[in-house]
Every structure is written in C-alpha cells, then in structure tokens.
Amino acid sequence: MINDIFKMFGGQTAEILFEIITECMDDYLYIFDLQNNAFEISQSAVERFNIPSNILTDMSNEVMKVVYEGDREMLAKHLADICEGREKVHNLHYRWLDKEGMPVWINCRGIVIDDQQGNAEYLIGCLNETGNKRRADNVTGLLGGPEFLTYLRSQKEPISKGFFMHVGIDDFGAINSSRGADYGNYILKSVAGCMKECLSDKQRIYHLVADQYVIVDLEASSAEDAVALKEKITDKLHNFIVAEKYEAIFSISIGVIDAATFCEGNEECRKKFEFALKQAKSMGKNRFYIFDQDDYEVFLQKGRIIATLRNAIVNHCDGFEVYYQPIVDCQSEQIIGAEALMRFSMITEEGREFVSPMEFIQLLEETGLIIPAGRYILNEAAAMCCEMQKYIPDFRMNVNVSYVQILQGNVERDILDAIQKYSLQPECLCVEMTESGFMDMTPSFCKFRKTLDKNGIPFVIDDFGTGYSNLHCIRDMNPSYVKMDRDFTAKAMNSDRDYELYKNIIPMVHSINVRICAEGIEEKEWLLKMKEMKVDYLQGYYFERPCGKKQFLQQYASGINVK
C-alpha cells in the first residue's frame, strides 16, 4: 500500500503526504532531521504557538525557545539519548508557550528512523494538546463548541443575518446536588432532545459547557423568529416536565444576539454572546433577553469602574475622598457634627471623572472592596472628628457602614481601633445604616449591634421612611436616632397628606426615647416647620452641600452658627 502511494505521488511523496495529512487532522505533525538539526511542523502550529515558522533550521535553539523554561532540561536530555541511540521512541508530556507566552501542556510522540549506518537520522511523529476540548458530547449527543466555531468559519459569505441563541438551564446545580449526576445527565440529554425537536432543518444546536447550549440560525431575518422558537422550546420543555410527573421542575433562560456579530471577531462575539445569557439570568428565572448595545455599554462601564476601584484600593485608596455634610441642632441651628460621605473619581480620556455614589458603592459591595474602602473612609472620618474637636469639643462624626462589612469583614474591630487611634470618646463616632441592611437579624448583625451597645457607640437608622421602614424596626434596633429620608421630607413639605403623616411619626418615635434627624432641608420655611414639629437634628442643602475636608474646616472650624 505504501509503495503504491509513493508511485502515485512520485518523487515529492514525503512533502505532499505531509501537507495532505496535516490538513486532515487537528494534531501537529513534525519531522526532525537529527543530523542536520532541522525541524518542520504543521503550519497550524505556527498559528497556535510562539514559533516564527513551520520550518526551523536551528532546532536546538529555535524550538527550545518555545518550550516552557522548566521543561527544557528534561527535553534536552531525552533528545540527547535519541541522538546517541539510547532511545528509539519519543513520548513526553511537557509544555510549549502559546502566542501570549502562556504554557500549554502537550503530548509529543514520535519514532526514530536510522540511516544505513544505524545512526539516528529522523524523529517523526505528532504533537497534540492534552487539554483540548472534546468536539462532541456523549451525554447530550450533540457536537460541542469547537464544531460550532468550525461551522461559522466554513460559511462562504460573511454572515449578515440570523441569530445565536444562548440557552442555559436555571439552577441546574440544584438538580445535580439533589438527584445525583446520573439524573442530571438525563436532564441535559432530555433538554437537548426537546430543543432539537423544535428546530427547522436550517437551524443547528451545539452543547457548550455543563448546562449551556447554543442554537444557530443563519437564515432568520428578524427577532420575532427567535421569539417564536423560544415559545416552541418552552412549551416542549413544559410538556416534558409534566410527562416526568414533575420529578424535576426547572426552566431555561435565553440570551439572543445577531449572528452577524461573529464578523466583529471571535472574542467580541464571545463576550456579547455570554453577556446576553447573563442578562437573561439576572432578570430572574425563565427569562428571554435580546442583546441591546446600550445595556452592553452599561455593562462595560461597570467593568471599567470595578477595575478602577480595585486599582485604587491597591494604590492606598487613591481616587477615594471623604466629603462632609454638617448636622445641626434644630432649635439653635448650630453645628453639632457631620456625616462622612464616600466619594470616588477616576481618570478618563477626558480627565478626572466623578462617579456617582449610587453607582460605585453598589459595586464596592458586590466585589467586597467595600471592606478596605470602608476602613479607609472610617479612619479619615475619625481623624477629621479629632481635628474638629479642637474647635467644637462635642463634635460628632457619622460614618456609614454596609452590611457586607459586617458579614465579611470585622468592621466593629475597625471602629474600635479608629476610636482608640484618634483618642475619641465612643459616643462621638456614630454608625449609620439603612434599614435594608439589617432586615434579617443574622448572628453577624446581632454580634455587631451588641458590640456597639457594649462600647457606647451610637447607632443611627438612615433613610427612614423608605422601603421596609416601620416603628417595629425602630423598637427592635433601639437606635440613638433615626434620619428621615430626604425624599420623604420633600414630600411632606409639598403635600398636606404627607405632612400630617410626617408630623405624627415624630411624637411616636420620641415616645420610645429615640431622637429624629430630618434630612433634605432645603428652604428656610422647611426649617421653621421642623422646629414646630420639634425635630432634634437637621441636615440638608439649606445649611451646606457636602464638601471636602479643607473647605469644611474653613467653614466650620470656628464653631459659629451654620447660617
């Protein structure tokens, strides 16, 4: 057979066969001329690994540069054994460097061909990545992600219409953990089968990873086609769940992007593809989301802010700043303290950009970066309180604490350390929390609250009048005072009905020995009404907007009236 092939191709048989075979397989074929130190490998290896060409004339140096440094000595010793006749078979696992310089595990195999004198002349074999993903999935019976990409790349014309539907089973982990892996595999296979039954002959389905699939339609002309397919799949899965007598109750979430996105490049397409499903799942279970560029821009901005926040934390909280807003006594209108407010800015192409606290504080909490950031703000606020007490001896500083700081950090220790470091009386550092932060009386929160009481540190409920705020909450928390939400205050000042409600809350709160601070005071008339209602403290733009440390000291270090 081999002789027949040689006759068919003539004198260039070896070269032609090498080219043909390399086009027909995923492994990388190679021929190593041991006596001339020359090396040839499949062209596809050049696209994958950090080698300059598929033909190298100085193998011992050029190939060794692509071998991971820690594996070079082992490979050099083995090749020396081959050249000296001690080894006739090559079969090693080691690492090559890819285009980004990252090590990739490979299995390099080959056999030695001797010359007529019995000396090693050639090493011929193949090299394959041991971590390569399988092209098909035996559980679902579907082709996998690599074949999905192969199908897209095989299109003769640029993709201009159609859609990719990214499907994920909601809470699939719960099925696996409660029923076991075998039943989980049964669900994966059944879901794949249900979806396949809904497809036309122009649509394809692939299994990506775990509980995720992709459906490809390169002919659809509108989003309504994707919606119609989604309805068919949902109905089919519902019928399956009923037929299974509700043994497993689950749903799917679906994200859809235009198939033409593939023309933007594989990486950009992948990002938008994954974003679409993530958006669908973030909306809850059994959701359907069609990609929207504006949503994606918001998502990217969120990622940029998170990256900047991380960098700021690493660089000693560079970019963070504390602003201070005065808190005044309602009757005397004299300043008694301030609330420390976290501010953050980042460098952009247009210059320094301030990020809204509504935006970045949530991201700090989501990432856990609120713990180091909160510690920085706490210490800055405590230092400022110490500074202000030189001018106003009883000055108090309010600091906001997040439930994440309580749950994941040791914020009570941070508070006590700050009090000790700046020689403050415990009652001069007040801890503020919105009521949404402690709706669940968890052990962590109870421990935190007990520590504050034990050390005489005031606790303040912020934004009262929103969300789940109620008098029952005040009774359970036993705060030093509550702060009426600024929006609630504004409504009360502009509506008779809200004013009556506001006015009646005050004596009820006072009746359980809890004081009240009204936030959002913006006009002289509002101040006068608060005095009539016998509110204890006031805060708002009428007195001063939040400002930096230097401006605050210039304005209030004399201890004079605010207005």
Side-chain angles (χ1 to χ4, degrees):
M1 178 67 177
I2 295 296
N3 289 334
D4 292 340
I5 295 175
F6 270 75
K7 292 177 183 178
M8 181 185 302
F9 289 103
Q12 294 182 325
T13 301
E15 182 179 349
I16 294 173
L17 282 176
F18 190 83
E19 292 178 0
I20 292 175
I21 294 173
T22 54
E23 289 295 322
C24 299
M25 63 189 302
D26 294 325
D27 293 348
Y28 310 105
L29 295 183
Y30 69 86
I31 299 175
F32 182 11
D33 185 340
L34 298 166
Q35 296 180 0
N36 294 305
N37 196 31
F39 182 81
E40 182 173 358
I41 192 169
S42 305
Q43 178 61 36
S44 55
V46 180
E47 301 167 6
R48 179 72 173 101
F49 298 106
N50 193 26
I51 52 177
S53 171
N54 71 312
I55 299 176
L56 306 174
T57 56
D58 186 8
M59 186 275 180
S60 57
N61 287 321
E62 291 178 295
V63 170
M64 280 300 176
K65 290 179 181 178
V66 77
V67 176
Y68 181 64
E69 186 175 3
D71 298 335
R72 291 172 186 171
E73 183 179 349
M74 172 188 68
L75 178 60
K77 181 179 182 303
H78 181 75
L79 291 177
D81 288 341
I82 286 177
C83 291
E84 295 172 15
R86 291 190 293 270
E87 289 282 357
K88 293 296 182 182
V89 176
H90 176 59
N91 188 357
L92 285 184
H93 285 85
Y94 60 102
R95 287 160 288 186
W96 274 26
L97 303 177
D98 66 12
K99 286 296 186 183
E100 284 73 44
M102 299 300 293
V104 177
W105 278 101
I106 62 160
N107 177 211
C108 191
R109 294 164 291 168
I111 58 172
V112 177
I113 306 297
D114 293 337
D115 62 14
Q116 293 181 352
Q117 289 72 41
N119 299 318
E121 184 174 12
Y122 294 103
L123 177 63
I124 302 174
C126 70
L127 176 153
N128 68 285
E129 296 183 43
T130 58
N132 260 351
K133 296 180 180 179
R134 290 180 301 178
R135 292 190 171 274
D137 173 49
N138 293 327
V139 173
T140 63
L142 299 176
L143 294 174
E147 289 301 308
F148 164 53
L149 292 176
T150 299
Y151 170 62
L152 298 180
R153 289 167 179 158
S154 70
Q155 301 302 307
K156 296 180 180 180
E157 299 291 335
I159 298 172
S160 59
K161 59 182 179 178
F163 61 80
F164 301 151
M165 183 177 282
H166 195 177
V167 182
I169 302 176
D170 297 323
D171 296 331
F172 178 71
I175 296 175
N176 259 344
S177 60
S178 62
R179 299 298 309 277
D182 288 343
Y183 189 76
N185 287 340
Y186 171 67
I187 294 299
L188 288 176
K189 182 178 181 179
S190 300
V191 169
C194 288
M195 289 193 291
K196 282 180 67 177
E197 291 180 24
C198 298
L199 304 184
S200 70
D201 57 358
K202 295 181 180 180
Q203 296 169 330
R204 299 190 178 201
I205 181 171
Y206 299 88
H207 183 227
L208 298 179
V209 292
D211 58 353
Q212 294 182 27
Y213 311 79
V214 57
I215 295 173
V216 185
D217 186 327
L218 300 183
E219 298 294 328
S221 57
S222 68
E224 284 71 19
D225 295 318
V227 174
L229 178 57
K230 177 260 183 184
E231 295 297 333
K232 288 173 64 177
I233 291 174
T234 301
D235 290 343
K236 181 69 70 173
L237 288 176
H238 173 72
N239 292 337
F240 167 75
I241 292 171
V242 173
E244 289 286 303
K245 298 181 179 179
Y246 300 96
E247 193 167 349
I249 302 175
F250 61 90
S251 60
I252 60 170
S253 290
I254 298 174
V256 176
I257 68 170
D258 288 337
T261 309
F262 185 70
C263 298
E264 298 177 18
N266 186 41
E267 184 63 16
E268 185 66 16
C269 182
R270 180 192 63 79
K271 290 178 180 178
K272 292 181 177 180
F273 182 70
E274 293 180 355
F275 167 77
L277 179 59
K278 185 175 182 180
Q279 282 293 97
K281 285 185 173 288
S282 69
M283 296 159 61
K285 299 177 183 179
N286 194 29
R287 298 292 181 168
F288 181 79
Y289 173 81
I290 297 177
F291 179 85
D292 180 88
Q293 186 64 32
D294 290 339
D295 292 344
Y296 188 58
E297 291 299 331
V298 171
F299 169 77
L300 293 178
Q301 175 68 357
K302 177 179 176 180
R304 286 190 287 267
I305 294 174
I306 289 175
T308 307
L309 288 169
R310 288 197 180 103
N311 186 61
I313 295 295
V314 170
N315 290 286
H316 310 290
C317 292
D318 180 40
F320 285 95
E321 189 178 358
V322 185
Y323 274 36
Y324 302 93
Q325 186 173 32
I327 299 174
V328 305
D329 179 87
C330 183
Q331 300 305 319
S332 67
E333 299 181 38
Q334 284 197 324
I335 182 172
I336 61 166
E339 179 181 0
L341 300 164
M342 186 185 296
R343 295 292 183 264
F344 179 71
S345 60
M346 61 183 189
I347 301 297
T348 66
E349 294 179 356
E350 290 75 29
R352 182 165 289 277
E353 173 188 331
F354 280 88
V355 184
S356 166
M358 297 292 290
E359 191 172 10
F360 77 79
I361 290 178
Q362 180 181 354
L363 298 181
L364 286 174
E365 292 179 335
E366 288 178 8
T367 58
L369 293 173
I370 190 67
I371 295 172
R375 188 180 298 120
Y376 169 79
I377 299 300
L378 172 64
N379 278 278
E380 289 291 302
M384 180 63 161
C385 184
C386 181
E387 179 76 13
M388 283 298 300
Q389 286 185 351
K390 296 177 183 178
Y391 312 100
I392 305 175
D394 295 327
F395 189 88
R396 299 186 176 198
M397 184 66 71
N398 287 29
V399 179
N400 292 276
V401 169
S402 162
Y403 187 69
V404 177
Q405 292 171 269
I406 297 172
L407 190 63
Q408 299 178 12
N410 191 2
V411 69
E412 56 263 47
R413 172 48 52 194
D414 294 337
I415 293 170
L416 293 173
D417 287 347
I419 288 172
Q420 182 177 13
K421 180 178 180 179
Y422 295 101
S423 302
L424 298 174
Q425 294 298 315
E427 63 270 17
C428 293
L429 195 62
C430 307
V431 173
E432 285 193 25
M433 285 189 74
T434 59
E435 51 79 27
S436 59
F438 48 81
M439 281 306 296
D440 296 322
M441 296 293 287
T442 63
S444 296
F445 177 74
C446 291
K447 173 177 172 287
F448 170 74
R449 192 69 185 84
K450 186 175 181 180
T451 300
L452 296 186
D453 285 343
K454 179 180 177 181
N455 290 277
I457 301 170
F459 179 74
V460 178
I461 296 178
D462 193 15
D463 294 340
F464 187 79
T466 63
Y468 300 97
S469 300
N470 53 57
L471 295 177
H472 177 75
C473 172
I474 297 177
R475 184 199 66 189
D476 290 345
M477 292 300 102
N478 189 30
S480 297
Y481 64 90
V482 298
K483 298 178 78 173
M484 304 292 274
D485 177 70
R486 59 177 59 84
D487 290 336
F488 189 17
T489 299
K491 288 179 181 179
M493 296 299 100
N494 292 284
S495 164
D496 292 340
R497 185 182 181 196
D498 288 319
Y499 178 79
E500 287 301 315
L501 176 61
Y502 198 98
K503 184 174 69 173
N504 286 313
I505 286 175
I506 294 171
M508 286 191 289
V509 173
H510 280 158
S511 70
I512 53 176
N513 297 317
V514 175
R515 289 165 287 168
I516 291 179
C517 174
E519 291 186 293
I521 304 302
E522 298 185 359
E523 300 176 13
K524 176 72 173 181
E525 182 183 353
W526 295 12
L527 165 64
L528 297 177
K529 287 184 177 180
M530 292 300 161
K531 286 187 175 186
E532 291 177 4
M533 290 187 283
K534 301 189 184 312
V535 168
D536 301 282
Y537 311 123
L538 303 173
Q539 188 175 348
Y541 292 171
Y542 174 74
F543 304 106
E544 189 65 65
R545 290 176 178 270
C547 60
K549 178 179 179 179
K550 183 177 180 180
Q551 182 179 343
F552 191 90
L553 286 171
Q554 290 175 344
Q555 185 81 6
Y556 302 112
S558 64
I560 60 173
N561 287 355
V562 179
K563 281 286 182 180

